[in-house]
Amino acid sequence: MFYAILAYHVEQTVQSWTPEEDAALMEDLLEINARLTRDGKLGPAARLGGTAEAVTLRGPGDGVVIDGPFAETKEQLLGLYVLDCDSQDEAIATARDLRRVNPTAVYEIRPIMLYLPGAPLATGAK
C-alpha cells in the first residue's frame, strides 16, 4: 500500500538555519532517501517552498486566488514523501527514521487511496 509521510515544521525555525546547518540536515535526510530508493520503497519526495510564496485557490466557481495557506497551526507543511510499504507499521518506522535526523519536525502518516505517478519530471528544480 502507498503511504504519504507529510513533513511539518515551524517554518521560521527552518528559515533561521545557516546554509551549513540546512545542508547537514539534508545530507542526513538524503541518506534515508537513498536507502528507501535502493529498497524500492520511495516514490516522489519533495521539499516545498516557503508559505510566503504560496497561494490558495478557494471559493465557488473558478474560485479566488489568495496569498498564502493561512494555516492556523504553529507548523507548516514543508515537504512530503510517497512510500510503498507493506503496512502502516513500516511507514511509521520510516517516519521515525526521518525524525531521528530531524527531531523537531512532525510527521503525519496517511494512507494514499489513489496513486497516479504521472510522467517523470526533469530534474533541476529552481
Side-chain angles (χ1 to χ4, degrees):
M1 174 168 232
F2 290 108
Y3 289 87
I5 296 181
L6 307 175
Y8 292 86
H9 210 295
V10 176
E11 191 169 30
Q12 290 174 322
T13 300
V14 173
Q15 292 171 344
S16 73
W17 295 337
T18 66
E20 295 79 16
E21 290 171 324
D22 188 65
L25 174 61
M26 287 308 297
E27 185 177 325
D28 291 342
L29 291 172
L30 290 173
E31 285 181 22
I32 295 170
N33 287 11
R35 176 181 49 95
L36 293 169
T37 299
R38 279 192 310 273
D39 293 346
K41 298 290 183 178
L42 184 63
R47 186 176 190 182
L48 301 175
T51 57
E53 301 167 37
V55 297
T56 300
L57 176 66
R58 63 175 52 195
D62 286 342
V64 175
V65 177
I66 57 175
D67 291 339
F70 296 108
E72 295 292 329
T73 63
K74 286 178 25 177
E75 297 94 9
Q76 290 76 37
L77 177 62
L78 299 183
L80 61 98
Y81 301 84
V82 174
L83 298 170
D84 185 5
C85 296
D86 294 329
S87 67
Q88 185 182 52
D89 288 339
E90 183 181 358
I92 291 169
T94 299
R96 285 192 170 123
D97 287 343
L98 295 167
R99 189 166 167 86
R100 271 191 273 288
V101 300
N102 193 4
T104 57
V106 174
Y107 293 97
E108 177 182 348
I109 299 101
R110 225 188 252 196
I112 295 176
M113 304 311 291
L114 174 66
Y115 177 74
L116 303 172
L121 299 174
T123 58
K126 297 177 184 177

